[in-house]
Every structure is written in structure tokens, then in C-alpha cells.
Amino acid sequence: MTATSAFALPADLDAKAVPALIAADEQHFGAIADTLERSVADLEERLAEARRAPGGINIKAIERDQEIHRLTARLRTLNRFGLDLCLGRMLREGEPEPVYIGRLGLTAPDGTRLLHDWRSPVSEPFFGATHGSPMGLASRRRYRWTNGRITDYWDEVFDPDAFAGNAALDDQSAFIASLGSNRSARMRDVLGTIQSDQDAIIRAGSRGALVVDGGPGTGKTVVALHRTAYLLYSDPRLGHRRGGVLFVGPHQPYLDYVGDVLPSLGEESVRTCTLRDLVPEGAKARPEADPEVARLKSAASVTQVIDAAAKFYEEPPTEGLEISTPWADDLWLSAEDWAAAFGSLSPGTPHNEAPDLILDELVTLLADKHDEETEVDPVQLRKWLPQNAELMAALNQAWPWLEPTDLVADLWSVPAYLRRCAPWLDRDEIRRLQRRNTHAWTVEDLPFLDAARQRLGDPEAFRRRRRAEAAAEAQRQDRGDVTFEILGAQDDFEGPMQMLRGQDLQNALIDDAGLPTGNRDELAGPFAHIVVDEAQELTDAEWQMLLLRNPARSFTIVGDRAQARHGFTESWPERLHRIGLERIELASLSINYRTPEEVMAEAEPVIRAVLPDANVPTSIRRSGRPVLHGSAGDLPDILDQWLAEHHEGVACVIGDHTFRPAPRVRSLTPTLAKGLEFDLVVLVDADRFGDGIEGAVDRYVAMTRATQQLVMLS
């Protein structure tokens, strides 16, 4: 038994503190505490040993780093949570002992399973059981933890006849009780209260595209985050070695808000980003000022345009060239030879990497043109070709080095070039897309810049590889000199010394650790699975950025058609088929766990006025606080009163760009508030958001951020 009780129930819950109800838990928590202490000590020892181990090279270095990362992540999780790793317990029908569910699995030294990972098949009934479908459970208990101790717990009995133990039954479940709790700057921990409709989606398979459609407050973001952790646990195809998982959010405040969730689930390898983060130019890109230009770029077949733009610079020379090599003076490289070399490239070869491959093919072509009696060394011929100024001039003219930014900039400054690459545009559209400051990037340019980097190759990655190859060649030369000296000093060339003549062994002697390195673009992909939240906002062009990073077409797509600022008239399958996804499954969430009935009663008519078929969810609770109305001048008094009455929680002012944020009071636009939630929302001059779908969606989104109180000021 733990030296200190795991329970710290307040006085008004004395009825729950009787030994008959919690003695078994206390004993179990004692075993967990002892095992945790041993596990932490063991992990620290193994981590120290792994760090002391030689770094190695190639695959050994990677395996060592991965082991250090795995041990560090588990140690951090154990140190972070302690006993509150345990989410709850369940008693299965016909079994005398309960099964305890945790954030991760934990086994005692004697082999007893103390905690089952929440993602394991054993744990599924803990989240999925309902009174209509108990999944073999007799009862379930969920804990509420505060500062590492249990401050409340709730029991549910599914089969009173089969349940022979004691239970503390409440009028409200653990989940309903948690809904009214205060919000903070970070998304609160909700793993222990995941509902059955959410859990079914979390545990769905990863093949193809799963669309999670749901209105405000239905837990879409909760599902997206926990599904990410579940898939990494359950599907080995999605592991880091296979590409891992990318999580895409709508904006940086959203990523800050949810940033603690995946680490709290023990998953620290997931890459998170916004679409802006996918390209270097994204940080400074501004929204397109001209709506028509934005529409044209958003609807464009981006990869088709960029591919045509690159192919303009990939035409083989039409004239032959006389070549001299160290073995012959008058070899003829014909236009047909050039075409054959250019045509040898594999589909998908980045443009800027192709010249090296073309030279490799030219080596074969030129070697065959020598007399049969002449022994041509292909390695030496390959080293010699780049020194031929006339040959390289012809190659560089036919296949020049291209910068992604310049390629895109030319589209917006050379009408004839754009007409060639996008022949479906008419003259007026082409003229409208032209601009003077070609490198003043907009958000709508980002898909083009991204496609250009993918098609041409990352310039920095190419330069890093060139530097590494040069350093490796220098090392190879040094090793060769040493090998030559060793062999020259031996009378007997047999045995191990003869092995030094082998090129493979000389290559193996190269010290990778001594070669120059650079930071790989960790967002370049490919990824095994991509999770997209607020996906209803993505344009066709932006979808291409994600499709380029996911060849397997394995997606979790989370969104609400009614929250699309620019309208979403199609169905999800129609939209996704159009952008290139084929295997699509649809799951719907219709219960509003977050927004009180009082708020939804005023928000629903706002969105129904422009979208009669909007998926408006049904709220399951009332806050007891009506929506308040007033004038903009009331804002300071409203906030002062709320802060005085609420010593915890977060408020947000939406719509007043002059308001400066203060402690526990945010100031956001409707767009940046999307995906977030606040105890109090004060909406200022909502009519100024505009008419039509965009204005209605902004008002709807802003109103439904409130978890307790909404105030409308005009």
C-alpha cells in the first residue's frame, strides 16, 4: 500500500472514501507505485548505458538514436504522471478482479499486468461500453486526478445482477462533470472521459481516408489527436521508419493550444505544423488581396502547372556535338544520343538532380562509341565529362539549374509562360494574375512554391548532398592512398590485405560521422499518415501540398462543412474525389459536449440562415447562464466582473481589434479562434463580420467557442 493514500477526496465526498469502495484501489496503486519506482530507475540506467555506447555509423547510429529517443520518451511520461497514469478500471462479467487502464502499459516484476495501455484491444470496452452495448462489462470506474491524487471518481454499473461489489453512483458521469470545468491556455486532459462515439472513430482503421464530420463542440479535435496516438500504437505501417504521422492544424494558436496532448499520451515523434510551415516562404506570406486572384490560384491544377513550367527547361539539344575523351578525339554525340540520355530519367526525378543522372547515361553512350580494342575506364570517364566545357554548356543550356522561387515568380511576370503552363486560363485571367513584385508571396502562392520545391528538388538539400559527396570523395581518396601504401609494403598480397583492394571495403571505411551534415526538412515527407484538422478550409491547391507528402493516400480528415468560411456546397466524398482521393469513409459526430444549450439556441439560426442543411449538433447540457446582450462600451465592466468572480478559467474577446489581451483574457479574430474554446466569449460588433456565408460562419464559429457564457456586444 502506498505510504500516502492515492485518494484526496474532499469532505463532501466522504461517502466515497469508505474502505469498502477504495481499499482494493489503494492496494493496486501501491503495486503501481513500487513498479513505477523500479521502472524509472531501470530506464535511467538503460538510458545512461545507451548514451555511453559508441555512436557507430550508418544503421547502427540510427538504431542507437532511436533507442535513446524511445527510452527518453517513456521516462519522461513516467516522471510526468506517476500514479495518475491510471485512467480507471473496469470489471468484466464473470471475472473477480478488475482490469486497470492506463496511459501506457505497466507490468510488475512478477509479470502481473498492472495497467493496460488505453490503446490496446483489452481496453476498448472501457471507452466503448454503453448501457445499450456494455461489451461484456459489469461496471466501470473513472478517476479524476488533481496534482497526482484522486479528488473524485465515478462508477457506472452495466449489469446490476452480475455486479456483486460496491459502487459509488452519481447523478452525472465523469464526462459530464468535466464539461463545466475551467479552461486554460492548453487543452485539458480528456483521455479518461473519451465517449463511445468518439472512441469508435479513434480506433477505426488507417487505410484510405477517414472523414470525421462534426459541428462545434463534438470533440473533433479530441478525436484527431487521440486517433493519432492510437494509430501509431496499433498500426506498424505508420511507424517512424515508414514515414510516421504528420498532424496539420489551422493556425499557430491552435497548435499551441493542443501542443501538450500528444506528449501526454507518450507520443513525441509526431510532426505538427500548419500549411504555412510546409514552405520557407510561408511565415511571411500574406493573404491575397484580390478575391478573384485568390480563387484562380486556389482552384488551379498546381502540380500540372509546375510540371509544365519545369518541362519548358527540359528539352534535349537538337544539334550534335563532337567530343574528345582521354581515349579518343573525334566521338560524335548526336541529337539522338542526347534524347536517349534525357529519356533515361525515371519519372519523378527532381529536375535539379537530373543533370548528374544524364551524365551517367552519357558515360555509357560515349563508352560504346570507342573502338572495341580501347579499354575505357567508366569511372575516369565520369570524372572527366564535367571538365568538358562545351559539353557542360550544352547540358546546362538544355537543362539549367532552377530555383523554385524563380520558377513561380516567372509565372506571375511572363504572360506567355503562364499561358503555356496553364492553357485553360483566358487572356483576362492571365493578365489578372500578373504582378510587379513577383517575390511578394501570398498564402495562395504557397502551394505553387511547394510543388516547385518538390518538382525541382530542395536547393539546400541538394547543396548539402554535394558537399557531403565531395567530403566523402576526399576521404575515399585518402583511404585509397593509405591502402596503396599498405599493399605496397607487403610481399604477400593474399588474405586480409588483399581485401583492401575491394572498392566496397574502401567505401565502408569512410567515416560518416566526419562528413558535413545539415538539417533535413522534416516536413518534406513522405509520411505514412496525415491528420488534418479544420479540413473544410483547405482549397484544392492546398490539398495538393498534402497529397505530395502522402503517396499511400492515408488520411484522417476532420472538419465541419458548416464552418467553411468560403462555402462548402459539395459532400465530403465529392470534394475529396475531385482532389484525388479514392477510398473514403465517413464518420459523423452529432453530440455537442462543449457548447451549452443557451448558446446553441442563438448560434443555430445564424448558420441555418445561410446553410439550411448545416450539421448543427445537439447540446447535452445547460449552463444556467443566458446569452447576454449589451453595447461595446460595456466590455471593460464585463471583463472586470468576470475576472473578479472567476479566479480560474480563460476569456476571449472576438471582433475588437483594438482590445489588447490581458492575463486570462485573449483577443482573437474569428479565424484564429477556430478550434479553440473559452469559458467566456465576448463577441463585439458581430454584424461587422459581413454578409453571406463568410460573415455567418465567422459569427457561428465565434459564438460556439464558449463553454459557459456568451456575451454579444454591438
Side-chain angles (χ1 to χ4, degrees):
M1 184 173 291
T2 55
T4 301
S5 173
F7 289 83
L9 299 170
D12 61 339
L13 295 179
D14 282 345
K16 290 187 175 184
V18 298
L21 291 174
I22 66 173
D25 282 353
E26 290 278 34
Q27 184 177 356
H28 196 81
F29 286 131
I32 290 177
D34 292 341
T35 301
L36 280 176
E37 185 176 354
R38 295 181 184 183
S39 297
V40 168
D42 177 64
L43 284 169
E44 289 175 342
E45 182 178 344
R46 291 165 61 190
L47 183 58
E49 182 178 340
R51 286 172 171 163
R52 287 194 300 267
I57 60 175
N58 297 329
I59 189 64
K60 290 185 178 180
I62 295 174
E63 290 176 346
R64 172 182 175 271
D65 290 345
Q66 288 178 340
E67 177 67 3
I68 289 174
H69 177 80
R70 186 185 68 81
L71 293 173
T72 301
R74 184 171 178 87
L75 181 60
R76 187 179 294 117
T77 301
L78 294 184
N79 283 328
R80 174 177 182 169
F81 284 103
L83 288 179
D84 52 350
L85 280 171
C86 184
L87 303 170
R89 73 181 198 190
M90 58 185 183
L91 185 65
R92 295 181 285 203
E93 291 182 348
E95 297 185 8
E97 299 297 328
V99 174
Y100 288 80
I101 311 302
R103 294 178 178 277
L104 44 75
L106 188 68
T107 304
D110 64 359
T112 302
R113 194 67 166 175
L114 299 175
L115 291 175
H116 289 269
D117 192 297
W118 70 274
R119 296 167 288 190
S120 68
V122 172
S123 303
E124 187 171 354
F126 180 78
F127 301 97
T130 65
H131 287 278
S133 177
M135 301 177 71
L137 295 192
S139 69
R140 170 172 58 198
R141 172 174 290 185
R142 302 180 192 249
Y143 304 114
R144 173 181 285 177
W145 294 89
T146 306
N147 298 324
R149 300 181 72 188
I150 297 172
T151 53
D152 203 354
Y153 66 91
W154 297 266
D155 286 333
E156 295 172 86
V157 174
F158 297 100
D159 185 357
D161 295 332
F163 184 67
N166 294 292
L169 304 179
D170 291 86
D171 293 333
Q172 57 179 352
S173 71
F175 180 67
I176 297 299
S178 72
L179 295 179
S181 61
N182 294 316
R183 268 44 181 182
S184 67
R186 293 288 186 116
M187 175 177 275
R188 59 198 174 89
D189 176 29
V190 297
L191 176 56
T193 54
I194 293 228
Q195 296 298 281
S196 59
D197 61 335
Q198 299 169 336
D199 186 65
I201 297 173
I202 289 171
R203 296 176 187 270
S206 63
R207 297 185 183 276
L210 174 66
V211 179
V212 184
D213 180 81
T218 54
K220 297 187 301 299
T221 297
V222 168
V223 167
L225 291 164
H226 289 77
R227 176 168 165 77
T228 299
Y230 172 79
L231 290 177
L232 283 168
Y233 173 90
S234 64
D235 193 339
R237 297 179 303 111
L238 307 184
H240 187 66
R241 292 187 179 182
R242 304 289 184 91
V245 177
L246 177 68
F247 189 99
V248 183
H251 47 69
Q252 192 57 47
Y254 168 94
L255 293 182
D256 294 340
Y257 179 61
V258 304
D260 202 38
V261 176
L262 286 170
S264 76
L265 299 173
E267 296 295 347
E268 299 185 358
S269 63
V270 178
R271 301 297 174 193
T272 62
C273 71
T274 67
L275 288 172
R276 285 176 176 267
D277 298 328
L278 296 179
V279 290
E281 297 79 14
K284 296 182 179 179
R286 297 182 177 182
E288 178 61 59
D290 187 336
E292 179 61 15
V293 171
R295 184 191 68 80
L296 290 171
K297 290 182 178 180
S298 297
S301 301
V302 176
T303 54
Q304 184 178 342
V305 172
I306 294 300
D307 186 57
K311 285 182 176 178
F312 180 76
Y313 297 98
E314 297 176 349
E315 296 291 336
T318 57
E319 297 182 0
L321 179 67
E322 189 171 88
I323 297 292
S324 295
T325 73
W327 303 273
D329 292 330
D330 54 355
L331 302 179
W332 181 251
L333 189 63
S334 67
E336 290 74 21
D337 293 329
W338 279 113
F342 277 46
S344 68
L345 296 172
S346 300
T349 301
H351 172 93
N352 289 332
E353 297 179 15
D356 281 346
L357 302 177
I358 292 172
L359 286 174
D360 291 341
E361 186 65 19
L362 289 178
V363 167
T364 302
L365 292 171
L366 290 172
D368 291 343
K369 292 180 179 293
H370 287 79
D371 295 336
E372 294 182 0
E373 296 80 11
T374 304
E375 294 187 9
V376 178
D377 184 347
V379 175
Q380 292 301 316
L381 180 56
R382 181 61 179 84
K383 291 181 179 180
W384 176 86
L385 282 183
Q387 301 174 25
N388 186 307
E390 192 174 4
L391 173 71
M392 295 307 298
L395 176 57
N396 292 336
Q397 183 176 359
W399 199 294
W401 171 274
L402 298 175
E403 288 284 349
T405 51
D406 292 339
L407 187 80
V408 177
D410 287 347
L411 291 172
W412 316 142
S413 60
V414 183
Y417 186 45
L418 179 58
R419 184 176 299 110
R420 175 190 175 107
C421 300
W424 56 85
L425 296 175
D426 62 35
R427 290 184 178 275
D428 290 338
E429 291 171 333
I430 289 174
R431 182 169 57 252
R432 192 157 195 161
L433 287 168
Q434 303 300 297
R435 68 185 185 212
R436 292 184 179 181
N437 190 352
T438 56
H439 286 74
W441 304 116
T442 67
V443 173
E444 288 72 17
D445 291 327
L446 300 184
F448 292 88
L449 292 165
D450 185 57
R453 289 173 70 85
Q454 297 274 351
R455 178 65 170 80
L456 303 181
D458 181 356
E460 285 304 315
F462 182 80
R463 294 181 183 109
R464 287 194 299 268
R465 187 168 65 253
R466 278 291 181 87
R467 290 194 295 269
E469 290 171 352
E473 179 59 31
Q475 280 198 26
R476 191 176 291 109
Q477 184 64 45
D478 291 342
R479 304 291 187 191
D481 293 343
V482 172
T483 301
F484 180 79
E485 292 178 5
I486 292 174
L487 290 172
Q490 298 295 315
D491 294 330
D492 181 12
F493 289 165
E494 299 299 325
M497 298 311 299
Q498 183 65 19
M499 293 174 60
L500 287 172
R501 293 184 182 274
Q503 186 65 40
D504 289 342
L505 181 57
Q506 292 187 31
N507 288 340
L509 290 173
I510 295 175
D511 180 13
D512 288 352
L515 300 180
T517 60
N519 294 326
R520 175 182 172 271
D521 183 359
E522 296 180 336
L523 298 178
F527 293 94
H529 189 82
I530 296 180
V531 181
V532 192
D533 202 355
E534 302 294 346
Q536 74 278 351
E537 299 293 358
L538 269 63
T539 66
D540 289 4
E542 288 171 335
W543 269 113
Q544 299 307 311
M545 301 172 75
L546 301 182
L547 293 175
L548 286 171
R549 287 166 170 79
N550 189 343
R553 298 297 192 260
S554 177
F555 282 91
T556 298
I557 298 166
V558 182
D560 178 14
R561 294 170 58 245
Q563 294 186 60
R565 297 185 73 242
H566 302 294
F568 197 126
T569 57
E570 302 164 288
S571 68
W572 279 108
E574 288 171 339
R575 174 66 167 274
L576 297 177
H577 280 311
R578 181 159 54 79
I579 57 100
L581 293 177
E582 295 298 329
R583 183 173 179 176
I584 300 166
E585 295 185 15
L586 185 64
S588 182
L589 294 170
S590 58
I591 301 175
N592 190 335
Y593 299 108
R594 176 185 69 212
T595 316
E597 285 185 2
E598 295 89 340
V599 173
M600 287 306 298
E602 293 217 17
E604 181 172 354
V606 171
I607 198 65
R608 293 274 191 215
V610 293
L611 295 170
D613 64 340
N615 180 17
V616 178
T618 302
S619 294
I620 62 171
R621 70 184 181 96
R622 297 183 62 85
S623 67
R625 301 179 180 92
V627 175
L628 301 179
H629 295 264
S631 64
D634 297 333
L635 179 60
D637 292 338
I638 291 171
L639 293 176
D640 288 344
Q641 181 178 349
W642 186 84
L643 290 169
E645 295 175 353
H646 300 80
H647 301 295
E648 294 181 339
V650 179
C652 186
V653 177
I654 302 178
D656 184 355
H657 68 277
T658 65
F659 179 79
R660 294 293 175 260
R664 294 200 295 129
V665 182
R666 304 282 299 276
S667 178
L668 297 171
T669 64
T671 300
L672 291 180
K674 185 168 288 188
L676 309 182
E677 55 184 26
F678 308 95
D679 299 281
L680 169 69
V681 169
V682 183
L683 187 54
V684 181
D685 289 334
D687 290 341
R688 292 193 307 176
F689 295 168
D691 299 324
I693 290 180
E694 186 170 319
V697 167
D698 282 350
R699 285 187 286 276
Y700 181 62
V701 167
M703 295 171 73
T704 55
R705 299 308 95 194
T707 65
Q708 296 184 24
Q709 178 77 65
L710 172 65
V711 178
M712 306 277 290
L713 303 180
S714 57

